[in-house]
Amino acid sequence: MFLRELSASLDHIKGVGPELKSAFTHLGVTSVGGLLCYYPRDWEDRNTIVPIGDFQRATVCTQVRVIAHDWFGFGAMKTLKIHVEDTSGRGVLVCFKRPFLENQLVVGNQYWLWGTFFYKYGEIQSTNFEVEAIQGGTSKNFAHLVPVYRLSAKLKAGTLRRCIKQALDQYAGPLENELPDYLIERRGLFSKSRAIRAIHFPTSVEELNVAKQTLVYEELFYLEMVIVQRMIERRRAPGEQAPDAPMSSLQKRLIERLPFSLTQGQVAALADINRDIDSPYPMARLIQGDVGSGKTLVSFLAALRAAETGGQAALMAPTELLARQHAENAARLLEPLGLRPAFLTGNIKSSGRAQLLKNLALGQIDFIIGTHALFSRDVHYRNLRLVVIDEQHRFGVLQRQAIVEKGDQPDLLMMSATPIPRTLALTVFGDMDVSIIRDMPLGRKPVITHLALQSNEMRVYDFVRQQLAAGRQAYFVYPLIDADENKSLKDAESMALRLSEEIFPEYDMSLIHSKLNEEEKRITMENFRKGVIRMLVATSVVEVGVDVPNATCMVIEHAERFGLSALHQLRGRVGRGNEQSYCFLVYTDDENNHLSDDSKDRLKVMKNSTDGFVIAEEDLRLRGPGQIAGIEQSGNIGLSIADLIRDIHILEHARTDAFAMLELDPELSQSEHHCVAQVLKRAPPFANVAL
Ligand code: ADP
Ligand code: MG
């Protein structure tokens, strides 16, 4: 029997009646298998004695003698106090709602005690404690590592531990391994039966660690099995490269008309895309490239190919600002080639929308660009062949799916500036292929970054003035829109006033933030792009995608308030042309806004690196596991113990092993793979999850 097949009802566990059963249901546990997979959220070390005298340093864990009982309060409020002592001192157990402890803790006898103590009313008191009589032999809840579970009001720690222990005794012995023996051996893991016992009741920290590794590996192995199988199915012939697909005539013509040549990375990504589009299977490709690496152009070239074969292409961007910018570029670059691009705004009332939708349904638009409005219910395509998703990490899995469903298995191209470790990308995006653009367009100079203390802001402004005098443009970014939110911080509104009236009266500037309506934003961005406005005061709305190559200064005030990926994205707004660009990170460090160590670290990383891959790695290190932009939304993969980011190394092993197994034995017919075939057949993992 596999653990995941253990569907026996909880009443089969000795000591579980209807009441406990319903308490478990509240926690989402409905079967014996579910209970055994209800893993502890932590383990308490009750191996090490912490005497009462050390209560301020750690949770007390000791043997005590009961010295007296007394009571305080009246009526329903009457509460028992039990005085105890160990060799280091005395403490008081305040037994709220536990009057029964009067009979359990007998004066003069010895007990195990675990509890958090505080100094209160002249005593060392605890209200949160566990006790157990000391008997010969082994203790239930003491003298070893004790599991800590997520509890509910109806389910106490002791009861839960007892039920799980009982379930282990009744069911864990004959559990079948879900991994082949040779993998268990190669990766130094436990059998399933031992792992499941040890995850709940480990005898040592070492045993606990191997148990965790075993269960994490097993979960990730099956995740990779499912993904690799699908990948092989999609490609039919694994390992076999599709023939090279030459550039189409429109693609060639666009490239000829450009004032620059494509980078190597762009050329390679385009070759991958052309091969995918020509193959009989739908493309599923992720393009990773740092901010400014020229992904948009690659997606336009893909759209040309789709249009040339008589299909339609759609490009979805996360903000209206960015979508509009793409649409304007598409009009400029693609209309001269005879393509019919269009911009679909989210504004239902906008005039022309009805006509536009009609044209789209008739196939009179080849390339439509917009936000998630592209998959609104009233939007119909005649023949949607290519879906491009820009800044894919801004969209959830469901939104990505909704747009794809507008066509009949269209090709899918996702673009991301967040560098994600390869194995992770391949996992989170299911069986996506990945193209990485590593190089920047020729002539780009890395942005020079300066850190400046708030009190030196004037020197920053003076520098920006020189750049403006030389004809360049500048962004100023603030963490807040207006002063209502927090008076001790600079905000975009007040600073727009101050910058335009006091500091740069000779230059035109505008303010842009999310509370403005789309039309106001559009006009502002257009004027900034044309250079009519020389300075833009903004919040992080300019973070994604905005492309104005003549802007060479990015001033971020209260930079300590922004995360690393936001800072990197914001800095990516400059350095997009051939001029040297500058980024000023102005930070505050005073008694109102003290600079934390984390903020200091982030600023240093930004100063020392412009490489998105390095910054993403640092981000991971500083923020800890479970937090890469674009990965959180993929949390619905349905993992119960593994964490894709924390366990990335185990994930890599699991993927290698799954691949090797399927390559050698695609039918899983060899006897050592029997258990894998059985798991996939009898209890398919991740069956309900869209990967
Ligand atoms: P991102 O990858 O961040 O989306 P964009 O597609 O916005 O980058 O491109 C940034 C800028 O670089 C745009 O102005 C674009 O026209 C320009 N660009 C794209 N490819 C090249 C190239 N090969 N050489 C020079 N400039 C390029
Ligand atoms: Mg972009």
Side-chain angles (χ1 to χ4, degrees), residues 258-264 266 289-298 322 325-326 329 332-333 390-391 415-417 437 440-442 444 545-549 569 572-573 576-578:
L258 292 172
F260 48 73
S261 46
L262 297 188
T263 63
Q264 271 184 20
Q266 287 173 314
D290 210 344
V291 279
S293 60
K295 298 183 290 293
T296 316
L297 187 59
V298 174
L322 184 53
Q325 175 183 290
H326 287 332
N329 284 330
R332 183 167 56 82
L333 293 171
D390 192 16
E391 306 286 345
M415 304 196 287
S416 170
I437 303 182
M440 284 289 177
L442 212 65
R444 290 280 171 80
V546 172
D547 182 39
V548 180
Q569 277 280 349
R573 296 313 110 214
R576 301 185 144 244
N578 291 333

